[in-house]
Amino acid sequence: MNQTEPSRKEFPQKLLEGLFVALQYLLPHHFLSALMHKLTRVELKPVKDMIIRSIVDWYNVNLQEAMESDPSRYRSFNDFFTRALRPDARPVTQLAHEIASPADGTLSQAGDIESGYLFQAKGHDYALFELLGGDQEMTSLFEEGHFATIYLSPRDYHRLHMPLAGKLRKMVHVPGRLFSVNETTCRKVPRLFARNERVICLFDTEAGPMAMILVGAIFVSSIETVWAGTVTPTRLRVSSWDYNQQQPDSVDLEKGEEMGRFNMGSTVILLFGKDAVEWSETFTPGSPVKMGRAIAELT
């Protein structure tokens, strides 16, 4: 009896998780995200105040860290969701050899890129080449390198910042699905991060090449960068922008400087080259991270 009881308790949860993931294969991801885009920008005061207060209460959002702590002062839900923090709320490590976290969130995975594959969850790996939109030149920069995957929940701060000072070399938009990126979906959807829509930002840094990959998800209505604004190509194929050829418009960002934001929550993946960095011993799967805190050191 004692041996079978745990499995009986687990069965309803596993069934619900299976249904949750199966439903995502059927949902019109981009249509729902377009609706969310409109809803989150409604400025009608009773509507936007109700949504904002509901999220603050449900997720226990700490508004004391925000530049604007009064939820009724935000123009829309998206204005609240992408809120700025007080300058002292997220101090960025100033040690030259330390790499700062680009975001608030939870570490999903971190480790080495082995034989061209990244670890997603038990039983699931995905190809670096596929993640990078089939760009062989970029793939070669990170073979046998290092990766970290950080998940941003609805309660987290949703602006993204530079782990190191860097010069933008290239930006790539890869169209795709918009599966949820929560823990359950990561465990059950193969190649999740190589299937979802994403924006790849390649930088030159003192650690060598560094990529920040902003992964879209269900209800993530758009992804923005500070140099391009909302990234919304209309073509259903990979789009690329080469910033090496645009010297007058070069993008140079300092360590800790904002580089982009999610309009709704999602995931950011960091890539570094071979032998470039060493992840902190406290940077372990499931651990919370805060933007600006040291997560790795240069090697």
Side-chain angles (χ1 to χ4, degrees):
M1 183 70 176
N2 290 336
Q3 293 179 341
T4 59
E5 191 172 353
S7 62
R8 289 176 182 173
K9 290 180 179 179
E10 292 171 2
F11 179 74
Q13 180 180 352
K14 289 183 177 180
L15 177 61
L16 289 173
E17 289 179 353
L19 290 172
F20 169 70
V21 173
L23 179 62
Q24 291 185 58
Y25 281 92
L26 303 175
L27 291 174
H29 293 177
H30 289 86
F31 173 73
L32 291 174
S33 290
L35 287 180
M36 183 61 74
H37 184 278
K38 293 181 179 180
L39 178 62
T40 57
R41 285 159 177 78
V42 169
E43 297 186 12
L44 189 63
K45 186 170 176 57
V47 175
K48 61 95 175 174
D49 283 355
M50 179 192 69
I51 298 173
I52 292 172
R53 291 187 182 280
S54 297
I55 293 296
V56 170
D57 292 342
W58 183 266
Y59 288 102
N60 193 27
V61 177
N62 182 5
L63 278 176
Q64 297 308 308
E65 297 178 328
M67 286 284 286
E68 177 53 73
S69 60
D70 182 354
S72 68
R73 298 284 296 275
Y74 288 97
R75 196 171 60 253
S76 65
F77 176 76
N78 190 68
D79 190 34
F80 154 77
F81 203 83
T82 57
R83 63 195 175 276
L85 298 185
R86 296 193 328 264
D88 62 344
R90 294 291 182 276
V92 177
T93 174
Q94 296 302 305
L95 296 178
H97 67 285
E98 290 188 337
I99 295 167
S101 173
D104 282 10
T106 301
L107 178 67
S108 295
Q109 299 293 339
D112 298 332
I113 301 168
E114 299 181 353
S115 302
Y117 282 84
L118 293 79
F119 182 71
Q120 177 178 303
K122 185 177 180 181
H124 294 302
D125 295 331
Y126 58 101
L128 175 66
F129 179 73
E130 188 178 12
L131 175 68
L132 295 177
D135 187 322
Q136 184 57 59
E137 182 180 357
M138 199 186 310
T139 299
S140 65
L141 298 175
F142 300 106
E143 288 176 343
E144 309 307 320
H146 314 274
F147 80 97
T149 306
I150 299 173
Y151 167 68
L152 287 73
S153 77
R155 72 166 55 87
D156 291 317
Y157 169 61
H158 276 80
R159 299 191 184 192
L160 305 171
H161 296 252
M162 294 292 290
L164 292 169
K167 181 182 180 64
L168 182 66
R169 185 196 304 188
K170 192 174 187 178
M171 181 174 76
V172 179
H173 174 269
V174 184
R177 299 297 302 275
L178 290 172
F179 288 101
S180 168
V181 289
N182 64 16
E183 182 183 359
T184 298
T185 314
C186 284
R187 285 190 282 106
K188 293 183 175 292
V189 175
R191 305 171 20 257
L192 174 63
F193 300 118
R195 298 170 77 167
N196 272 17
E197 182 176 0
R198 54 205 178 275
V199 174
I200 303 161
C201 305
L202 176 64
F203 294 92
D204 289 321
T205 76
E206 61 181 305
M210 175 188 77
M212 293 181 68
I213 304 172
L214 284 56
V215 183
I218 191 73
F219 300 137
V220 176
S221 51
S222 62
I223 294 170
E224 296 182 23
T225 64
V226 296
W227 58 87
T230 303
V231 183
T232 54
T234 57
R235 295 176 296 174
L236 295 179
R237 64 176 186 267
V238 175
S239 300
S240 180
W241 295 263
D242 188 347
Y243 288 84
N244 277 343
Q245 305 302 318
Q246 303 176 22
Q247 295 302 325
D249 300 319
S250 65
V251 179
D252 296 275
L253 299 173
E254 295 300 317
K255 181 179 181 178
E257 190 172 351
E258 183 182 346
M259 61 77 62
R261 65 183 67 175
F262 288 119
N263 296 314
M264 298 296 284
S266 195
T267 288
V268 59
I269 300 173
L270 278 181
L271 301 181
F272 289 98
K274 184 178 180 180
D275 300 327
V277 303
E278 183 176 343
W279 300 119
S280 169
E281 292 183 358
T282 60
F283 195 51
T284 56
S287 63
V289 295
K290 292 291 186 183
M291 190 284 288
R293 291 186 182 174
I295 56 173
E297 294 185 357
L298 301 175
T299 58

